[in-house]
Amino acid sequence: YTINASEQPFKIRQTAASVFQKSLAGYPGIQDIIFSGTPDIRLAIRFDRQKCDAFQVSPEQISATLQDRFREDYPGMVEKPGGQQVFLRLNIGGADIEAIKEIVLINSRQQEYRLKDIADVFLEETPAESYFRINGKNSVTMTIRNREGVNSVTLARDIKALLQTVTSQLPKGYEARLVYDDTQYLSAELHKNYKRLLLSLSILILFILLSYRNWKYLLTLLAGLLVNLSACILLVWATGIPVHLYTIAGLAVAFGIITDNAIVMLDYYHRFRGKKVFLALLGATCTTLAALSMIYLLPDDNRRNLMDFTSIIILALLASMCTVLWFIPGMYQLVFGTHQELPTTFRSPTTS
């Protein structure tokens, strides 16, 4: 979001932070809210050289006194009842301007003076290196980041609905505008994958009906695919693999392989009532897993992007092996019956 107004950037940031952080504080799923596009605020101390000479206080002494006031001490370590050891850190000073003005300075004659007697203490903006403006108005950028493992698409939808009400609390002349939402691309890709999945299933159903003209055969195959995908999703949840574009792409790639395994096992069992073809499927799957495992040997930068992609394919193929070995034959016997005769096979006559 960008917040625009005819105010100083620091003032816009303060106003926006007071409105949005108050409304979004503690909202489940939000990790932090970051404001950018404004100069940093620094504490400035402007001292008078003549007063320093008159009070016999040097600038180096002022600097040393301030550093000693704001130092951090580590007095030791404390052990919690559970056995956890924690280091203690104490911040001696405070950042309040009035307290800083009352800091005592001692000169060489052991006379005490207040910092406010020698210098002026105030807050100021650092020199701006760039300006963010929209239609001549200063602009501040607000970035909302979600926690890891949270459904970012759902969270973004809820936050946008909430901010439509929160923006009405901004003062007159302020405007909040959504400029970038990375979940829009994710949502578009999800819809594309859904369409591709429906198209693939439609082609598969049409192919099975034209080839076998038997709804029982189609029911067995679709049930096997459903169980396979359900087992894969359960394994993904158990292993804690996050769901994003890479994992969705990996699942789309694995769907073609698990469909092929299910068709091969179902056709073989339909013809011969056996599971010997499972060894061939297992060998083909192992070669695929061996090829995918090479990704784990890549450098860290490349492996980080492909780790989840590879992991979900491996889990889908492992679930496929269990499905074709146990579920497909069992579902076939349940649908077709255990005593159905084998299909008639034709053999060429042999000459003696």
Side-chain angles (χ1 to χ4, degrees), residues 6 18 27 31 65 68 76-77 82 97 120 150 163 176 198 226 236 256 262 274 282 320 331 336 343:
S6 300
S18 63
Y27 194 89
Q31 180 177 352
T65 302
D68 183 69
M77 180 180 63
I97 294 180
D120 296 327
V150 176
L163 290 186
L198 292 176
L226 179 62
V236 169
L282 180 61
S320 175
M331 186 67 182
F336 286 89

Side-chain angles (χ1 to χ4, degrees), residues 35-211:
F35 291 90
S36 58
T38 60
D40 294 331
I41 301 301
R42 63 184 180 185
L43 177 67
I45 300 177
R46 183 181 294 116
F47 59 87
D48 189 339
R49 171 66 69 175
Q50 294 181 353
K51 289 184 179 181
C52 289
D53 294 338
F55 295 152
Q56 295 185 356
V57 177
S58 64
E60 291 78 12
Q61 184 179 359
I62 296 176
S63 176
T65 302
L66 291 175
Q67 290 179 359
D68 183 69
R69 175 65 181 270
F70 293 102
R71 75 180 189 275
E72 292 182 346
D73 288 347
Y74 294 86
M77 180 180 63
V78 63
E79 184 173 350
K80 293 184 177 181
Q84 184 181 9
Q85 296 179 345
V86 181
F87 284 96
L88 296 179
R89 183 181 70 178
L90 298 180
N91 191 353
I92 304 301
D96 183 70
I97 294 180
E98 297 300 326
I100 295 175
K101 291 181 180 180
E102 299 296 330
I103 292 178
V104 177
L105 302 174
I106 303 176
N107 62 7
S108 58
R109 297 180 181 180
Q110 300 300 315
Q111 296 175 335
E112 296 184 356
Y113 299 97
R114 304 292 179 183
L115 181 61
K116 64 181 180 180
D117 299 331
I118 303 174
D120 296 327
V121 183
F122 55 93
L123 294 176
E124 67 175 6
E125 295 183 355
T126 58
E129 299 179 356
S130 60
Y131 294 91
F132 298 88
R133 289 179 178 175
I134 298 178
N135 295 331
K137 296 182 179 180
N138 289 322
S139 177
V140 174
T141 302
M142 179 181 67
T143 303
I144 303 175
R145 299 193 303 179
N146 62 288
R147 296 182 183 274
E148 185 178 358
V150 176
N151 188 333
S152 58
V153 176
T154 303
L155 179 63
R157 183 175 62 249
D158 296 341
I159 290 178
K160 285 187 287 187
L162 176 62
L163 290 186
Q164 289 181 354
T165 304
V166 175
T167 50
S168 61
Q169 303 176 12
L170 291 172
K172 184 179 181 180
Y174 280 71
E175 178 187 7
R177 180 183 302 175
L178 178 64
V179 294
Y180 178 71
D181 183 6
D182 59 357
T183 61
Q184 292 180 350
Y185 176 74
L186 180 60
S187 300
E189 290 297 318
L190 286 174
H191 285 88
K192 287 182 181 179
N193 284 308
Y194 294 152
K195 293 180 180 178
R196 292 167 184 169
L197 179 61
L198 292 176
L199 182 60
S200 300
L201 288 176
S202 301
I203 296 175
L204 176 63
I205 292 173
L206 181 61
F207 173 77
I208 296 299
L209 291 178
L210 293 178
S211 300

Side-chain angles (χ1 to χ4, degrees), residues 270-289:
H270 179 69
R271 293 175 181 272
F272 305 105
R273 302 296 191 276
K275 303 179 183 179
K276 293 182 180 181
V277 75
F278 175 77
L279 295 178
L281 295 176
L282 180 61
T285 302
C286 288
T287 57
T288 304
L289 296 179

Side-chain angles (χ1 to χ4, degrees), residues 122 225 254 339:
F122 55 93
L225 294 178
H339 301 290

